[in-house]
C-alpha cells in the first residue's frame, strides 16, 4: 500500500501552548515531557466521516427545542468550513454548545446565580452542506464569571466542535462576538498569543444574513488543516 | 485552484460544561451491530500532575475494525468494512476520572513504508485546562506486533509502557492516562 498523504502540521503561532499559566487550570494538565513527533499514518488521515445519525431541523435551531421561545437576542450564526487551501469541507459534523442569554449553562456544575431559561438548552448540531456551509439559529450567550482570578469574566462565546475529513482535522474552538470589552482580560482568548490568529476566533456582524424584524446575523468561517495534494478519487 | 493560504482556526478548551453538548447515548460503545472480532473493554483513569483523578475530560477514540480496515474512503486496502462497527467512540470521565469503552480489538494496519502497525486506538483527550486536545495511542500488551510497531519505535524505551494497556482478564484491558508528572503518558505532536 502506498504511503498516505500527510496533512499540514500545526501552525504554531495560531495554536495555544498546553501550558499557559494565566489560565490556572493548565498548570497540572499540561504535559511536561516533550511531545513525540508523529508522522501521519493511515490511522491519522482516516477518521469518522459517516454515521453521525439523523439530523433534525431543531438540532440546528436552538430557539425551537422547547415549547416556548428562549429569552435573549435572536442570532443566526453561519459560515463556511474550509481547509487552509480554501477548499470547502463538506458533509462533516459541527457540534455547538453555549450558555443562555443570562450567562448560565444548563449544567449541574454551573453555580453562577443567573437564571436558567426553561426554553433554552444550548446544544446544537449540523452537518455542513456540499459547499462547506453551515447555519445555526440561537440566542446570543451572555458573559459569565469564573474563578480563574479575582473578578474574572468570560467574554460571550459559543463552543464549536468540528470533525473534518480525518481525525487529524479534529478541532474544538470557541466563537466570540466582535468588540467584546472582555477580550483583554480573558486568558483563554489571550492564550493565542498571535493577534491575527486570535482574531480568527471572532465572528463578524453581517447585515446580509440579518433577517429584518427577526434576528441578527453573524459570520464565522472555520479553517481546518489542509494538505498539499489530494488523494486519488475513487 | 487558489494559492491563497487561509490561517488555521485556533483551538480553545472544551471547558467544564461540555457534558450537555458532546456526549450522546451509547457513545462509549463502538459496537453498533453484529461486529466481527473479539469484543473487549478498554478502561482506565485519567490523572493530573497533582496526582488527582480528572473527572471532567472527554476521551475520543478512532480505530480500525477487527480485520484492520478503517471505515474511511482513504483506506484502500482489500479488507472488508464491517457494517456493525465504524470505529469511533467518545467517553466523558466519571467522578473518579474513569473512562470505559466497549469495542472490538482492532487488527493490524499498514504503517509507513512496508511496516505494519500493531493494533491500537488513536486517542484524543479534551478537557478544562487543556487549551488544545492531546493525542496519544492505546496499544495492547498481548500483541507480538508491538515489537516492530513504527510509532512505538519513535518513543523512548522508558516511556513506551505508558501507551500499552495491560490485560486484566480475557476480554478487558486497562491503561491510565497521566496528563503530567510521574508516569506521564506519551503525547504526540501531530
Amino acid at each position: 500500500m502506498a504511503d498516505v498523504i500527510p496533512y499540514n502540521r500545526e501552525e504554531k503561532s495560531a495554536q495555544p501552548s498546553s501550558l499557559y499559566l494565566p489560565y490556572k487550570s493548565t498548570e497540572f494538565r499540561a504535559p511536561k515531557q516533550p511531545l513525540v513527533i508523529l508522522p501521519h499514518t493511515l490511522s491519522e488521515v482516516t477518521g469518522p466521516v459517516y454515521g453521525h445519525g439523523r439530523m433534525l431541523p431543531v438540532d440546528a435551531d436552538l430557539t425551537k427545542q422547547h415549547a416556548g421561545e428562549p429569552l435573549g437576542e435572536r442570532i443566526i450564526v453561519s459560515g463556511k468550513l474550509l481547509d487552509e487551501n480554501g477548499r470547502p469541507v463538506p458533509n462533516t459534523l459541527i457540534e455547538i454548545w453555549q450558555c443562555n442569554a443570562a450567562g448560565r449553562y444548563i449544567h449541574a456544575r454551573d453555580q453562577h446565580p443567573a437564571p436558567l431559561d426553561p426554553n433554552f438548552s444550548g446544544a446544537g448540531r449540523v452537518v455542513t452542506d456540499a459547499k462547506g456551509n453551515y447555519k445555526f439559529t440561537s440566542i446570543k450567550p451572555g458573559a459569565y464569571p469564573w474563578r480563574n482570578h479575582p473578578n474574572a469574566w468570560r467574554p460571550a462565546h459559543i463552543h464549536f466542535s468540528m470533525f473534518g475529513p480525518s481525525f487529524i482535522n479534529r478541532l474544538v474552538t470557541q466563537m466570540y462576538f466582535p468588540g467584546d470589552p472582555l477580550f483583554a482580560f480573558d486568558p483563554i482568548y489571550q492564550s493565542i498569543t498571535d493577534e491575527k490568529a486570535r482574531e480568527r476566533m471572532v465572528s463578524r456582524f453581517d447585515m446580509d444574513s440579518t433577517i429584518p424584524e427577526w434576528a441578527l446575523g453573524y459570520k464565522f468561517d472555520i479553517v481546518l488543516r489542509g494538505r498539499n495534494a489530494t488523494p486519488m478519487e475513487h | 485552484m487558489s494559492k491563497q493560504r487561509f490561517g488555521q482556526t485556533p483551538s480553545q478548551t472544551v471547558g467544564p460544561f461540555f457534558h450537555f453538548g458532546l456526549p450522546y447515548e451509547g457513545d462509549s460503545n463502538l459496537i453498533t451491530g453484529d461486529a466481527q472480532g473479539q469484543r473487549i473493554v478498554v478502561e482506565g483513569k485519567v490523572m493530573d500532575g497533582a496526582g488527582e483523578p480528572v473527572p471532567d475530560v472527554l476521551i475520543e477514540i478512532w480505530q480500525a475494525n477487527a480485520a484492520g480496515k478503517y471505515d474511511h474512503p482513504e483506506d484502500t486496502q482489500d479488507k472488508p468494512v464491517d457494517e456493525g462497527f465504524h470505529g469511533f467512540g467518545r467517553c466523558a470521565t466519571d467522578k473518579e476520572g474513569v473512562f470505559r469503552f466497549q469495542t472490538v480489538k482492532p487488527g493490524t494496519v499498514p504503517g509507513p513504508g512496508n511496516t505494519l502497525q500493531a493494533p491500537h486506538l488513536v486517542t484524543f483527550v479534551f478537557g478544562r485546562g487543556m487549551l488544545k486536545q492531546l493525542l496519544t495511542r492505546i496499544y495492547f500488551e498481548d500483541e507480538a506486533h508491538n515489537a516492530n510497531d513504527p510509532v512505538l519505535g519513535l518513543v523512548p524505551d522508558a516511556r513506551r509502557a505508558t501507551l500499552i494497556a495491560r490485560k486484566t482478564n480475557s476480554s478487558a484491558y486497562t491503561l491510565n492516562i497521566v496528563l503530567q508528572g510521574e508516569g506521564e503518558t506519551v503525547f504526540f505532536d501531530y
Side-chain angles (χ1 to χ4, degrees):
Chain A
M1 177 170 163
D3 277 348
V4 301
I5 298 164
Y7 280 85
N8 298 336
R9 308 296 293 193
E10 177 183 81
E11 184 190 339
K12 295 287 179 196
S13 68
Q15 301 299 344
S17 301
S18 288
L19 183 67
Y20 183 71
L21 286 174
Y23 177 21
K24 289 217 165 61
S25 306
T26 65
E27 185 178 359
F28 295 113
R29 294 187 171 196
K32 290 209 163 146
Q33 298 288 328
L35 303 186
V36 172
I37 294 170
L38 180 71
H40 299 169
T41 75
L42 189 62
S43 302
E44 287 76 37
V45 303
T46 55
V49 291
Y50 308 118
H52 298 302
R54 211 160 72 87
M55 296 291 151
L56 302 171
V58 297
D59 288 329
D61 188 342
L62 285 69
T63 69
K64 296 248 158 55
Q65 297 176 347
H66 297 274
E69 289 259 359
L71 293 172
E73 264 176 65
R74 208 178 281 117
I75 59 173
I76 292 166
V77 178
S78 63
K80 259 185 190 302
L81 190 60
L82 305 165
D83 70 15
E84 290 167 281
N85 303 309
R87 294 188 189 98
V89 180
N91 308 318
T92 191
L93 180 67
I94 299 180
E95 295 159 288
I96 66 167
W97 69 104
Q98 62 167 94
C99 63
N100 69 23
R104 179 85 185 261
Y105 284 94
I106 186 169
H107 191 291
R109 262 179 252 166
D110 185 359
Q111 296 300 314
H112 175 36
L116 285 167
D117 184 338
N119 289 313
F120 192 73
S121 298
R125 55 208 306 257
V126 73
V127 170
T128 58
D129 71 12
K131 291 178 175 165
N133 296 301
Y134 74 90
K135 184 166 85 173
F136 289 104
T137 302
S138 189
I139 52 99
K140 192 174 178 190
Y144 60 84
W146 60 313
R147 291 181 178 163
N148 187 70
H149 56 272
N151 210 8
W153 292 80
R154 292 297 330 279
H157 61 274
I158 298 175
H159 295 268
F160 270 71
S161 160
M162 274 67 60
F163 279 87
S166 81
F167 213 35
I168 278 298
N169 291 117
R170 193 83 181 83
L171 174 71
V172 175
T173 190
Q174 299 181 22
M175 183 204 94
Y176 298 92
F177 291 86
D180 197 313
L182 293 168
F183 286 157
F185 308 100
D186 179 46
I188 294 179
Y189 179 71
Q190 296 292 337
S191 70
I192 312 304
T193 53
D194 180 284
E195 186 181 359
K196 277 212 169 75
R198 196 158 63 221
E199 287 170 355
R200 292 174 198 156
M201 302 185 292
V202 183
S203 58
R204 66 185 164 81
F205 172 69
D206 178 48
M207 195 54 97
D208 289 342
S209 58
T210 292
I211 300 178
E213 294 171 47
W214 184 250
L216 295 173
Y218 288 89
K219 282 283 180 190
F220 182 52
D221 293 338
I222 302 153
V223 179
L224 305 180
R225 294 188 196 190
R227 53 185 175 186
N228 291 326
T230 44
M232 288 224 295
E233 299 289 334
H234 299 285
Chain B
M1 188 59 65
S2 159
K3 286 218 172 74
Q4 187 181 357
R5 295 274 296 179
F6 290 72
Q8 293 172 9
T9 302
S11 170
Q12 296 270 270
T13 175
V14 294
F17 304 131
F18 63 80
H19 297 86
F20 70 95
L22 293 178
Y24 53 92
E25 198 175 334
D27 57 1
S28 62
N29 182 358
L30 283 73
I31 298 165
T32 52
D34 188 20
Q36 301 295 304
Q38 185 198 353
R39 283 160 161 71
I40 59 171
V41 169
V42 179
E43 61 191 347
K45 194 179 253 206
V46 182
M47 307 295 289
D48 70 14
E52 298 292 331
V54 183
D56 55 3
V57 297
L58 183 77
I59 311 283
E60 287 185 351
I61 60 172
W62 168 245
Q63 64 165 100
N65 67 21
K69 171 89 172 176
Y70 286 106
D71 187 7
H72 187 278
E74 286 184 40
D75 185 339
T76 55
Q77 298 177 90
D78 186 20
K79 291 177 177 176
V81 169
D82 188 335
E83 287 310 319
F85 188 83
H86 302 289
F88 175 71
R90 186 179 261 178
C91 183
T93 53
D94 68 15
K95 282 181 198 147
E96 277 78 47
V98 172
F99 66 90
R100 181 175 224 261
F101 289 101
Q102 292 166 269
T103 186
V104 300
K105 189 106 169 268
T108 56
V109 296
N114 288 318
T115 60
L116 206 55
Q117 301 191 67
H120 64 274
L121 314 177
V122 181
T123 305
F124 272 133
V125 185
F126 303 82
R128 176 178 69 81
M130 300 173 70
L131 287 160
K132 57 186 174 186
Q133 72 245 27
L134 294 175
L135 178 68
T136 184
R137 285 186 171 196
I138 298 175
Y139 287 85
F140 303 90
E141 71 170 350
D142 55 347
E143 289 291 333
H145 290 290
N146 290 344
N148 300 311
D149 180 87
V151 172
L152 285 176
L154 299 171
V155 175
D157 289 359
R159 302 190 64 205
R160 212 167 286 160
T162 70
L163 298 178
I164 302 174
R166 281 180 300 109
K167 192 168 184 171
T168 50
N169 66 46
S170 61
S171 63
Y173 294 84
T174 183
L175 182 67
N176 290 350
I177 294 177
V178 181
L179 299 179
Q180 185 191 87
E182 196 180 332
E184 184 176 305
T185 296
V186 167
F187 298 104
F188 296 104
D189 177 333
Y190 57 97

